[in-house]
Amino acid sequence: MRELPSSGRQLDRLVELLAGSAGEGWSLAELARSTDMPPSELSAALARLQTEGLSLEVDSDGRVRLPAAADMPVASRVRPHLSTNRLGQRLHHYLRVDSTNNTARRLAEAGAGEGTVVVAEEQTGGRGRLGRTWLSRKGRDILLSLVLRPDVDPAQAPGLNLVVGLAAGQAIREVAGITTDLKWPNDVLTCDGKCCGVLTEMNADPGKIHFVIVGVGINVNGTSLPNAIAGRASTLEQAAGAPVPRPRLVAALLNHLEALYLVFLDRGLRPFLERWAASSSSIRGRPILVSNPGRSLRGTTAGLSEQGALRIRREDGSVEEVLAGDVVQW
Ligand code: BTN
């Protein structure tokens, strides 16, 4: 499926408006005024929302409501739970994009400031780490990308990966009320499998980061997952036994991440190493197989290096540090 065509931004604006009105809904005249759409265009756009699977309610006074909006992470639903100064003050919500990381990158290239957030209900080309595809379910997951402009050396940027995983774990525990486990470098697991992955992409010159896009995917509501990942992955609803409110979860993620990010900017990764290790059952003493670009490495985990690399003790007692890779068996 393609990204929404020319009227896509109008639909996004319409959803934003419908989602923002708590209960009382909108008259067609109010909607036409607020979206600058002539009535015929507005009717077509409302019909289009229905074909996108969003059912609208129209009451006897002709006021329009979007019941699904209560769980949509649009700015007006996220903001009441946000306690940040930097992250999420600008939040763009889309019905459909190819990848929120791509949308955020385009915004960053056009000058979007630090903390700008992109969230989408659906991705048609979601990307995971190491060139993989990220599968998600329309309207049920969190698909979020954040523009950061950290004033640190590019060599320090991989540390951000660990910081984001830590923040995601904290947010999930707070909002879903479940226990989580971190898997290096930044997967968050529930007892049933992976529920959250992070893809950070950097735009930098030697010695200078222009921006970093932090992409976070969380499997949130519903209990069924695409066949290709069922069995390895899990949803928060599965683990919590109840649906989890996405707007609150987005806000909690940004709240926790801002607090950790400010410490990272000031003091680097060091303050997080112990906390990260304490949040991961597999970071020490676990037999593992790591595939890192080009080769596989078997051994036993031996904690984190100061740069956030995974330390692996080989059979001969030597220790190797892996900065980028994938833990395929643990
Ligand atoms: C991984 O575990 O491999 C990382 C997955 C990251 C997925 C998120 S979903 C939002 C953002 N947009 C993308 O295309 N990818 C990230």
Side-chain angles (χ1 to χ4, degrees), residues 99-101 123 126-129 134 144-145 194 197-199 216-217:
S99 152
T100 53
N101 267 32
Q123 283 187 144
R127 292 184 282 110
R129 291 175 60 244
W134 181 258
L144 175 148
S145 298
K194 173 168 169 173
V198 179
L199 173 68
V216 182

Side-chain angles (χ1 to χ4, degrees), residues 247-294:
R248 265 192 65 203
L249 187 55
V250 164
L253 174 64
L254 297 171
N255 293 341
H256 285 287
L257 184 52
E258 178 165 298
L260 301 189
Y261 178 60
L262 294 178
V263 175
F264 175 78
L265 289 181
D266 196 35
R267 296 164 58 204
L269 190 59
R270 194 185 282 247
F272 301 105
L273 293 172
E274 265 315 304
R275 208 187 316 173
W276 202 98
S279 310
S280 170
S281 66
S282 51
I283 201 67
R284 282 198 190 105
R286 179 75 64 95
I288 55 158
L289 174 64
V290 177
S291 109
N292 86 329

Side-chain angles (χ1 to χ4, degrees), residues 155-156 158-159 162 264 267-273 303-311 321 323:
Q156 273 188 269
L162 298 184
F264 175 78
R267 296 164 58 204
L269 190 59
R270 194 185 282 247
F272 301 105
L273 293 172
L304 292 171
S305 77
E306 298 233 318
Q307 289 71 40
L310 177 62
R311 302 178 76 241
E321 294 186 354
L323 250 183

Side-chain angles (χ1 to χ4, degrees), residues 23-100:
E24 77 244 39
W26 292 74
S27 72
L28 289 178
E30 287 164 348
L31 278 178
R33 232 186 350 265
S34 299
T35 54
D36 251 347
M37 283 191 218
S40 60
E41 215 175 288
L42 177 61
S43 304
L46 290 170
R48 180 73 197 283
L49 284 185
Q50 314 239 43
T51 61
E52 289 292 331
L54 296 172
S55 51
L56 298 169
E57 267 175 23
V58 184
D59 70 14
S60 52
D61 296 334
R63 296 186 78 78
V64 184
R65 281 184 203 86
L66 180 61
D71 191 47
M72 281 189 176
V74 295
S76 55
R77 299 257 166 197
V78 172
R79 202 170 294 124
H81 307 287
L82 211 54
S83 57
T84 57
N85 289 316
R86 291 195 196 186
L87 309 190
Q89 298 304 316
R90 288 194 67 88
L91 187 150
H92 303 272
H93 175 268
Y94 298 81
L95 282 179
R96 184 185 308 136
V97 296
D98 57 353
S99 152
T100 53

